Amino acid sequence: MLTAVIALSALALFSSFLLAVVARAFAVPVNPKIEEVEGALPGANCGGCGLPGCSELARRIAEGKADVDACPVGGESVALKLAAIMGKAFEGGAVRKIALVLCNGNDQVAEKRFHYNGVRDCTSAAMLFGGDKACLYGCLGLGTCVGICPFQAMRMLPNGLPAVDPAKCTACGKCVAACPKKIIKLVPIDKRVHILCSSHDKGAKVRKICEVGCIACTKCVKEAPEGAITMHDNLAVVSYDFDIPDAVAACCPMNTIHVRALDGAIERLEEAASVSGGAL
Amino acid sequence: MKTLILIIVSAVFVNNFVLSRFLGICPFLGVSKRIKTAAGMSAAVIFVMTMASAATWLFYEYILVPFNLVYLQTVTFILVIAALVQVVETVLLKKSPTLYRALGIYLPLITTNCAVLGVAVLNIQKEYNLVETTVFGFGAAVGFGFAMMIFSGIRERMELCDTPVPLRGTAIGLVTAGLLSLAFMGFTGLVKQ
């Protein structure tokens, strides 16, 4: 008994001594700022900055390899804190961004080509002839973006399209990357006029398959201030550098242009979707 | 040479640590969701098991046996392996940051893993010499990695399948592990024990 106790204690003592010596001999000096920066970051480890986690970003920022506003989730407040830690100038004033799904072709207004019966996932559905929607650019409505959102900021509306909760969305960009149709964009939250279509099809084809798609009539381009709306391969695209008057939306013959304050509560979108059962 | 090859084949296929001996199930289920993490874990296990085999064998032969402390084998092996992995981790951080970043997060996870301890105890039971011990440790770890890679590959694909709700997650993982284990039973008799 006694030998066992002594032997084990000796072994434990010896290993701890060895560990202490090794820790001293092979100590790696760590930049104390890394810890400070990491403390100021949100700690969501969402990967929105493009790095594996907050600690990796903290290391980069502390070493000066990344900007203080590199964290899309933290936004201005975190950037200001980090600027103070790093002793860098940061003015702020950048507008918060939020994800927006650029398709309004819900099940009532957009045609389907076939009945998709596979895995309930947009990426899988898109692999099968580009999905069941007749429009190759349309939202497949299976909620891959909803599932991937690390902040539970997305929800499927009753009409089969996803909606973003502005209170929770941090513009981390996960949904933007996950969408197989690439129709989710990060847009400034203070802009009100949006073109909810991503179709590059010709007008005649869009008319046949979707009631709310852009038919490339270019009316809005003429109505809006110079350069605010431009045509890109049969699709009118809003440039969010401009402030477009609400009235422009009225000129759209397909109701593709929407006037919507993005910071409104998600419940309102949900209600509207269930009442009208169709386009918002 | 022939014995060494037989030891490797036996450790990788016939007596696969995970699928035939059911050692190291924890990391097998825990870090097998993605091939990338599984590969990192496997590399760390190969590294630690090879090293721990040799270290515990030396410890057993030159300390436990001369001092008549053989009955303390299991407890002391845990201590020796844990201390060894800690030391190696510290040294790696200083000397080879690249290797540290590749293995770093997995090393502390497997310090007291049963597969690592199991290989150390088995070496003594089978009365291997130092070279055989090291080779067996390496082979067992390669077998672990082999099972890990197959399993994580299956699990990655299974993510996209329409699994019945009650079976989702660990449940279907365990079913798959069982089937995989059955498949490995097919190797029985490949090497005469």
Side-chain angles (χ1 to χ4, degrees):
Chain A
M1 226 289 281
L2 197 63
T3 17
V5 172
I6 293 171
L8 271 182
S9 317
L11 181 61
L13 261 177
F14 175 73
S15 356
S16 47
F17 182 72
L18 182 74
L19 276 180
V21 170
V22 169
R24 187 63 70 81
F26 292 92
V28 180
V30 182
N31 187 345
K33 276 197 173 155
I34 295 180
E35 217 166 285
E36 236 178 298
V37 170
E38 198 174 353
L41 287 172
N45 286 322
C46 64
C49 52
L51 295 169
C54 289
S55 50
E56 189 62 21
L57 180 65
R59 203 175 57 77
R60 295 262 177 120
I61 292 178
E63 284 170 5
K65 283 184 193 156
D67 291 328
V68 286
D69 58 349
C71 175
V73 175
E76 208 180 314
S77 59
V78 167
L80 285 172
K81 265 192 243 163
L82 294 181
I85 294 172
M86 294 302 297
K88 276 187 187 169
F90 179 73
E91 274 113 53
V95 175
R96 187 161 85 90
K97 286 191 170 185
I98 175 176
L100 179 70
V101 183
L102 296 184
C103 174
N104 204 20
N106 60 48
D107 298 342
Q108 277 81 29
V109 296
E111 296 267 328
K112 293 208 169 173
R113 288 184 294 168
F114 55 86
H115 182 64
Y116 176 69
N117 206 9
V119 179
R120 309 305 291 167
D121 177 86
C122 300
T123 313
S124 296
M127 280 181 207
L128 191 71
F129 309 115
D132 56 353
K133 279 258 164 79
C135 172
L136 276 177
Y137 305 91
C139 174
L140 296 174
L142 296 172
T144 295
C145 50
V146 176
I148 203 155
C149 180
F151 302 96
Q152 283 88 44
M154 295 190 86
R155 243 187 260 177
M156 291 308 293
L157 298 180
N159 64 3
L161 289 178
V164 179
D165 187 343
K168 290 182 185 159
C169 179
T170 59
C172 71
K174 282 247 156 148
C175 52
V176 177
C179 178
K181 294 291 181 185
K182 303 283 166 234
I183 55 171
I184 307 182
K185 274 210 178 117
L186 298 177
V187 303
I189 197 162
D190 61 339
K191 301 294 182 199
R192 289 166 53 83
V193 178
H194 310 285
I195 296 181
L196 298 184
C197 181
S198 305
S199 167
H200 290 290
D201 280 331
K202 288 202 173 106
K205 187 182 176 196
V206 174
R207 257 182 204 285
K208 270 182 211 150
I209 56 179
C210 182
E211 290 172 25
V212 292
C214 173
I215 51 167
C217 65
T218 71
K219 269 187 188 163
C220 54
V221 177
K222 289 162 200 152
E223 287 281 326
E226 176 80 33
I229 298 180
T230 43
M231 296 306 295
H232 289 273
D233 193 14
N234 291 322
L235 174 66
V237 177
V238 171
S239 163
Y240 285 100
D241 296 335
F242 292 84
D243 278 313
I244 302 168
D246 291 357
V248 174
C251 77
C252 182
M254 298 295 283
N255 283 326
T256 313
I257 308 185
H258 284 250
V259 177
R260 189 200 289 171
L262 292 176
D263 48 4
I266 192 170
E267 282 74 20
R268 238 194 41 223
L269 286 174
E270 235 166 13
E271 216 171 273
S274 57
V275 170
S276 66
L280 289 173
Chain B
M1 197 61 209
K2 198 179 152 205
T3 359
L4 295 186
I5 291 172
L6 277 183
I7 286 179
I8 289 203
V9 172
S10 144
V12 175
F13 296 108
V14 186
N15 290 317
N16 187 292
F17 256 51
V18 181
L19 298 170
S20 300
R21 288 191 199 272
F22 309 112
L23 289 168
I25 299 290
C26 165
F28 182 64
L29 289 171
V31 275
S32 57
K33 285 225 173 94
R34 294 192 179 280
I35 292 186
K36 223 181 134 194
T37 52
M41 187 70 185
S42 309
V45 167
I46 292 175
F47 187 69
V48 169
M49 261 164 105
T50 315
M51 217 172 51
S53 300
T56 48
W57 189 88
L58 289 172
F59 182 77
Y60 182 84
E61 285 299 307
Y62 294 106
I63 295 181
L64 291 187
V65 173
F67 289 102
N68 281 326
L69 290 168
V70 180
Y71 59 96
L72 284 177
Q73 185 191 319
T74 314
V75 191
T76 48
F77 277 7
I78 295 177
L79 255 174
V80 169
I81 294 170
L84 180 74
V85 173
Q86 277 299 313
V87 168
V88 169
E89 201 194 340
T90 324
V91 175
L92 268 190
L93 182 59
K94 176 84 173 179
K95 292 289 168 199
S96 169
T98 338
L99 192 60
Y100 176 79
R101 226 166 291 148
L103 304 180
I105 45 169
Y106 304 106
L107 282 181
L109 281 179
I110 47 175
T111 43
T112 50
N113 184 284
C114 64
V116 181
L117 183 64
V119 80
V121 174
L122 277 173
N123 282 326
I124 307 300
Q125 266 177 20
K126 291 184 181 238
E127 294 172 354
Y128 283 148
N129 63 30
L130 182 60
V131 180
E132 286 170 343
T133 293
T134 318
V135 168
F136 181 67
F138 176 75
V142 169
F144 175 88
F146 185 56
M148 247 343 228
M149 298 312 285
I150 298 178
F151 191 53
S152 59
I154 297 177
R155 275 188 103 169
E156 261 191 9
R157 278 165 186 244
M158 223 152 51
E159 289 272 292
L160 285 174
C161 295
D162 192 9
T163 320
V165 180
L167 287 179
R168 271 179 206 167
T170 317
I172 194 76
L174 284 168
V175 172
T176 317
L179 290 174
L180 211 53
S181 170
L182 269 181
F184 265 71
M185 291 295 163
F187 288 115
T188 317
L190 194 66
V191 176
K192 280 210 179 89
Q193 291 291 306

